[in-house]
């Protein structure tokens, strides 16, 4: 149905939304190459959809491709773009939070712990209800042998919303394992 909708030659914003939704569909079916292609098409949008597509593209660069520098570059540009779109404060905070979370994740994977912690703390400050930044912060604290803060972060990871992302569900299972071992 999405492909049929594209054949109707919708306006640019609607086309971007369709490509974004196709990206989600392909990602859910674990066709990551096609998901990346669809997100890339949706990234051309100058509004919310384009920024969200950029975030998803970058997240897959981190999670599936291990292209951290590409992800970081895209995420930093997307953060700048959030200043120029018309969103209410809650929407903007939520969007910026996921961008900071993914920046933190990429920096964590690069073993740049101070940068990772700074980004993850920003993500949590903007939206503390999402599990992902807490889970990543727990991993960071564990790597730094900070058992006290790791325990706190793993508890927050376990108790927060997964957002339906498969990597977060894995991290929440890690949280349960860690907490049960304590």
């Amino acid at each position: 149905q999405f492909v049929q909708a594209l054949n109707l030659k919708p306006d640019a914003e609607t086309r971007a939304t369709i490509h974004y939704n196709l990206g989600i569909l392909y990602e859910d079916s674990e066709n990551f190459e096609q998901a990346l292609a669809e997100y890339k098409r949706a990234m051309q949008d100058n509004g919310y959809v384009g920024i969200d597509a950029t975030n998803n593209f970058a997240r897959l660069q981190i999670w599936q491709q291990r292209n951290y520098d590409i992800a970081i570059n895209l995420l930093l540009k997307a953060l700048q773009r959030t200043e120029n779109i018309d969103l209410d404060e809650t929407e903007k905070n939520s969007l910026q939070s996921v961008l900071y979370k993914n920046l933190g994740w990429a920096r964590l994977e690069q073993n740049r712990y101070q940068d990772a912690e700074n980004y993850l703390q920003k993500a949590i400050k903007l939206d503390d209800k999402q599990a992902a930044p807490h889970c990543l912060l727990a991993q960071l604290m564990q790597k730094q042998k900070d058992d006290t803060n790791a325990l706190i972060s793993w508890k927050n990871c376990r108790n927060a919303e997964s957002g339906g992302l498969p990597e977060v569900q894995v991290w929440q299972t890690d949280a349960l394992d860690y907490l049960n071992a304590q």
Side-chain angles (χ1 to χ4, degrees), residues 1-54:
Q1 289 175 336
F2 287 133
V3 172
Q4 288 174 337
L6 286 171
N7 290 333
L8 297 174
K9 301 193 188 311
D11 62 65
E13 185 177 342
T14 304
R15 203 168 38 255
T17 301
I18 293 168
H19 285 298
Y20 175 79
N21 287 327
L22 277 167
I24 291 171
L25 183 68
Y26 285 123
E27 187 176 342
D28 286 348
S29 63
E30 298 184 5
N31 184 344
F32 299 114
E33 290 301 320
Q34 195 61 43
L36 286 166
E38 294 300 335
Y39 288 142
K40 194 169 191 174
R41 290 181 184 103
M43 287 165 52
Q44 305 310 311
D45 178 68
N46 290 324
Y48 181 89
V49 170
I51 295 170
D52 211 17
T54 300

Side-chain angles (χ1 to χ4, degrees), residues 7 18 37 47 52 69 80 106 118 120 136 146-147 151-152 156:
N7 290 333
I18 293 168
D52 211 17
D69 290 332
Q80 289 176 334
N118 289 341
L120 294 170
L136 290 164
D146 183 346
D147 295 334
L151 181 63
I152 293 166
N156 290 335

Side-chain angles (χ1 to χ4, degrees), residues 166-180:
E167 66 270 21
V168 179
Q169 293 169 351
V170 169
W171 297 335
Q172 286 184 315
T173 300
D174 293 344
L176 291 173
D177 292 344
Y178 181 89
L179 294 169
N180 287 334

Side-chain angles (χ1 to χ4, degrees), residues 44 63 108 111 113 120 124 141-142 147 158 163:
Q44 305 310 311
W63 184 41
L108 176 61
N111 297 320
Y113 297 150
L120 294 170
I124 291 167
M141 294 300 152
Q142 229 179 312
D147 295 334
R158 176 197 61 198

